[in-house]
Amino acid sequence: MKDFRYLKNVVTLRLDGKICIGCGRCMEVCPHGVFTIENRKARITDLDACMECGACSKNCAVAAITVAAGVGCALGMINEWLQGLNLPRTGRGC
Amino acid sequence: MPLLSTQLGCRDRLGAWKARWGIGRMSYLTPPGLYAIGSPGSDDPVIVTANYKMSYDIVRSALHGRNVWILVLETFGINVWCAAGKGTFGTDELIHRIDAAHLTQAVNHRTLLLPILAAPGIAAHEVTRRTGFRVHFATIQATDLPEFLDNGMVTTAAMRELTFTFRERLVLVPVEIVLALKPTIFITALLFLVGTAFNEAAAGFTAAAAFLGAVAAGTIATPLLLPWLPGSSFAVKGATCGMGWGLVWLALAGGDIGVPAGAGTLLALTAVSSFYALNFTGSTPFTSRSGVKKEMRIALPAMIATLVGATLLWLWAAFL
Ligand code: SF4
Ligand code: SF4
């Protein structure tokens, strides 16, 4: 996946190092190698590679990770916006 | 316990192909529950997958010749990755299937092997707390399962890395085409009629071809050329392809339409391709929601402005 980089400085992923117990789960589930474990604490080493899938936050037993997870789908978002404006949706989403 | 055949027949390949094209999707379901490959005993591994025919077919053929259990979750015919995102391949469904299949009676151990891409839907610690089963996120690709099992269940870095190869992008193209089909047919027909009405059938035909080419630039060329197109924005990548097509079209068919109409057409084709390219973000495994949101906030107004500009140029060409 090193050939593919999406926009920089946009993702909502946050890690609270104080709460982390260093179990390593986040590193195990992340398909983009965003985390590393150093000195028994998780660290975000490649923030911009995150695709906001939510696997890490879902699997952190102590809730040290937050991320606004969701599918990055343009059609789905257009539909959400149309719905917000009370306009009819355009066909199918994602 | 139903026994699974591990050979994928031609029908399965056809089924996979039909599922890709959205034909008869509902008939490509595998009933959820516990299945046996070979003749597994109480110490053999349990692999969890979705009741999406393709997910399950790949698991089945990858494990040919082994003795394993397969626990199929009800994901309504949706693949692991999408189902995990939607929550159907989720903690509650997994726990429910463990109970319904009486898994604790089938095996002595308490380990489940799950695809890594199921993690957005499965809270492993919850599953352990409520069922006693430990969740082991094994590999991304089911085809890595044999090596994983032979390696004493160790996930290598390569098994954890997501790929997005040319081939993987190629199989997504049909999905993009099916998604774009209805509006595309409508607009193509409309362009043909308008072109014919204003001029003659040949003009209608070239107008329709211009549009179809731009749709192909966004739905076929952009996904395939993705890593080689400039920038990180999909809208920009798509615009690049659309403009490339626009120049080709002008060279081939735009001979005598004049500068304003030619410029208008180029702008419109760029915008159309850019829109479809932006749509492809929904099919890629590396675009974040926040990123797509940001891109859309900039790209959608730009596309609308471009189309307005194109229309003004056409009107200028037609009436001045
Ligand atoms: S899953 Fe949570 S607790 Fe475990 S290493 Fe990651 S952040 Fe720390
Ligand atoms: S949200 Fe997904 S991609 Fe982002 S860090 Fe977590 S697991 Fe990795």
Side-chain angles (χ1 to χ4, degrees):
Chain A
M1 200 45 79
K2 284 158 201 83
D3 302 344
F4 299 96
R5 304 294 295 190
Y6 198 41
L7 309 189
K8 288 193 169 75
N9 305 320
V10 288
V11 296
T12 52
L13 180 76
R14 300 291 175 268
L15 165 71
D16 188 339
K18 286 194 293 295
I19 307 177
C20 169
I21 53 169
C23 67
R25 246 323 176 189
C26 50
M27 202 187 80
E28 252 175 71
V29 298
C30 178
H32 286 292
V34 169
F35 300 95
T36 48
I37 307 288
E38 285 166 21
N39 302 323
R40 315 191 68 220
K41 288 276 184 194
R43 214 162 71 83
I44 296 176
T45 39
D46 192 2
L47 182 69
D48 289 332
C50 173
M51 63 167 156
E52 300 184 325
C53 69
C56 52
S57 62
K58 182 109 188 170
N59 280 282
C60 178
V62 294
I65 302 171
T66 54
V67 58
V71 185
C73 167
L75 262 190
M77 275 178 218
I78 292 176
N79 279 333
E80 277 171 33
W81 286 343
L82 289 177
Q83 244 178 352
L85 299 168
N86 282 323
L87 292 168
R89 293 160 58 101
T90 64
R92 53 204 282 195
C94 314
Chain B
M1 213 62 69
L3 209 71
L4 293 183
S5 140
T6 48
Q7 304 290 355
L8 295 185
C10 180
R11 242 200 78 135
D12 285 328
R13 279 181 211 285
L14 184 68
W17 182 84
K18 279 164 86 179
R20 279 271 180 240
W21 286 81
I23 304 165
R25 177 145 148 228
M26 291 315 281
S27 57
Y28 288 93
L29 302 176
T30 307
L34 187 62
Y35 292 82
I37 288 188
S39 45
S42 56
D43 293 323
D44 286 313
V46 178
I47 291 164
V48 183
T49 189
N51 82 329
Y52 172 56
K53 188 138 192 332
M54 273 192 279
S55 306
Y56 155 90
D57 279 347
I58 295 166
V59 171
R60 195 165 60 134
S61 69
L63 296 172
H64 176 63
R66 291 164 189 269
N67 297 322
V68 291
W69 299 101
I70 298 192
L71 186 63
V72 177
L73 302 193
E74 174 65 278
T75 61
F76 307 97
I78 296 181
N79 71 38
V80 170
W81 168 240
C82 298
K86 288 183 179 11
T88 44
F89 197 115
T91 310
D92 290 337
E93 166 63 12
L94 176 56
I95 293 171
H96 169 68
R97 284 300 149 205
I98 293 171
D99 287 343
H102 304 294
L103 191 60
T104 49
Q105 288 162 32
V107 294
N108 289 329
H109 63 80
R110 290 293 176 264
T111 303
L112 300 172
L113 303 178
L114 269 78
I116 292 176
L117 292 185
I122 304 277
H125 53 283
E126 276 284 298
V127 175
T128 309
R129 193 172 60 76
R130 285 162 60 185
T131 66
F133 276 93
R134 281 192 329 111
V135 170
H136 191 144
F137 291 106
T139 63
I140 287 183
Q141 304 280 357
T143 45
D144 283 336
L145 279 172
E147 195 192 333
F148 169 85
L149 292 172
D150 293 341
N151 261 353
M153 300 205 188
V154 176
T155 308
T156 64
M159 293 176 192
R160 194 174 283 142
E161 200 188 322
L162 208 48
T163 57
F164 202 37
T165 60
F166 188 83
R167 250 192 89 139
E168 284 166 323
R169 300 199 298 281
L170 186 65
V171 297
L172 287 174
V173 164
V175 181
E176 298 305 306
I177 294 176
V178 169
L179 281 173
L181 210 56
K182 259 189 230 159
T184 302
I185 291 174
F186 177 76
I187 296 174
T188 308
L190 195 73
L191 280 173
F192 180 74
L193 292 177
V194 169
T196 309
F198 267 84
N199 208 316
E200 55 189 349
F205 183 74
T206 46
F211 174 74
L212 272 184
V215 173
T219 57
I220 303 173
T222 307
L224 294 183
L225 300 176
L226 202 62
W228 303 290
L229 292 169
S232 58
S233 149
F234 278 55
V236 170
K237 285 174 189 280
T240 308
C241 280
M243 191 168 287
W245 160 245
L247 292 173
V248 169
W249 183 85
L250 283 177
L252 291 179
D256 53 359
I257 61 171
V259 173
T265 307
L266 195 59
L267 283 180
L269 298 184
T270 303
V272 167
S273 171
S274 180
F275 176 77
Y276 281 110
L278 192 51
N279 254 330
F280 186 60
T281 53
S283 299
T284 66
F286 68 99
T287 46
S288 62
R289 188 180 165 79
S290 302
V292 177
K293 229 180 217 170
K294 178 179 175 186
E295 224 187 313
M296 299 234 312
R297 241 182 249 126
I298 300 167
L300 281 187
M303 283 170 202
I304 291 168
T306 307
L307 287 179
V308 170
T311 311
L312 292 176
L313 283 166
W314 284 328
L315 291 176
W316 179 19
F319 297 110
L320 288 179

